[in-house]
Amino acid sequence: MLFFGEYSVNITLGGRIVIPKRIRQALGKNKSFTLTKGFDRCLSGFRNEDWEKSVYELMGVSVLEMKKMEIKRHLFSSAAVLEMDEQGRVVIPRNLLTYANLLNKNEAVFIGVGTYFEIWEKDTWEVYQREIEKNIKKYQT
């Protein structure tokens, strides 16, 4: 099942967040998933098996390919396997909350991106979305 849609959720000061039902459904029967730094100051969440496939692709990267090494460092240094409780809640690690500007915020936005999902700070997502819309208009002309 693919991840799709946009979902606004509340986040507690301790970083506890409820995973939206559609995202939980796309995760399947697993109660855990991998969460890491994404790009553009958001977080990226993966089914554990999809994360492992991606990891093995990156593992073949030569240490001489600096751009790919930087991507590996970015993703691996912050990756965490999170376990959902019975209500579909997880606690996001502090380093990831800080990276995505979610520390001490009370709202976040989940978006589905096909094979994975992202978690954005609400205002950051709204600004980014306006940029996307401008770009799409440029592509159409």
Side-chain angles (χ1 to χ4, degrees), residues 129-141:
Q129 208 171 13
R130 285 193 292 274
E131 288 300 314
I132 291 171
E133 289 169 8
K134 284 181 197 174
N135 291 339
I136 289 171
K137 285 180 184 176
K138 288 180 196 173
Y139 304 147
Q140 293 174 342
T141 57

Side-chain angles (χ1 to χ4, degrees), residues 25-103:
Q25 289 172 336
L27 285 167
K29 294 182 185 202
N30 285 337
K31 292 281 187 185
S32 69
F33 61 91
T34 303
L35 190 68
T36 190
K37 291 176 184 173
F39 300 99
D40 299 310
R41 288 290 185 191
C42 69
L43 304 177
S44 295
F46 300 85
R47 289 180 201 93
N48 291 328
E49 59 270 18
D50 292 341
W51 171 254
E52 287 183 25
K53 286 178 195 172
S54 298
V55 164
Y56 288 115
E57 289 173 19
L58 275 174
M59 292 309 293
V61 172
S62 166
V63 294
L64 301 176
E65 295 179 71
M66 184 52 78
K67 189 184 295 185
K68 290 182 181 175
M69 285 300 298
E70 288 174 349
I71 291 171
K72 281 173 59 172
R73 289 179 184 133
H74 178 79
L75 296 174
F76 290 125
S77 67
S78 62
V81 176
L82 303 184
E83 191 80 30
M84 286 184 279
D85 68 12
E86 292 303 315
Q87 286 78 38
R89 299 175 299 190
V90 296
V91 176
I92 298 174
R94 187 177 183 90
N95 66 315
L96 292 175
L97 291 170
T98 301
Y99 172 78
N101 195 28
L102 289 167
L103 194 62

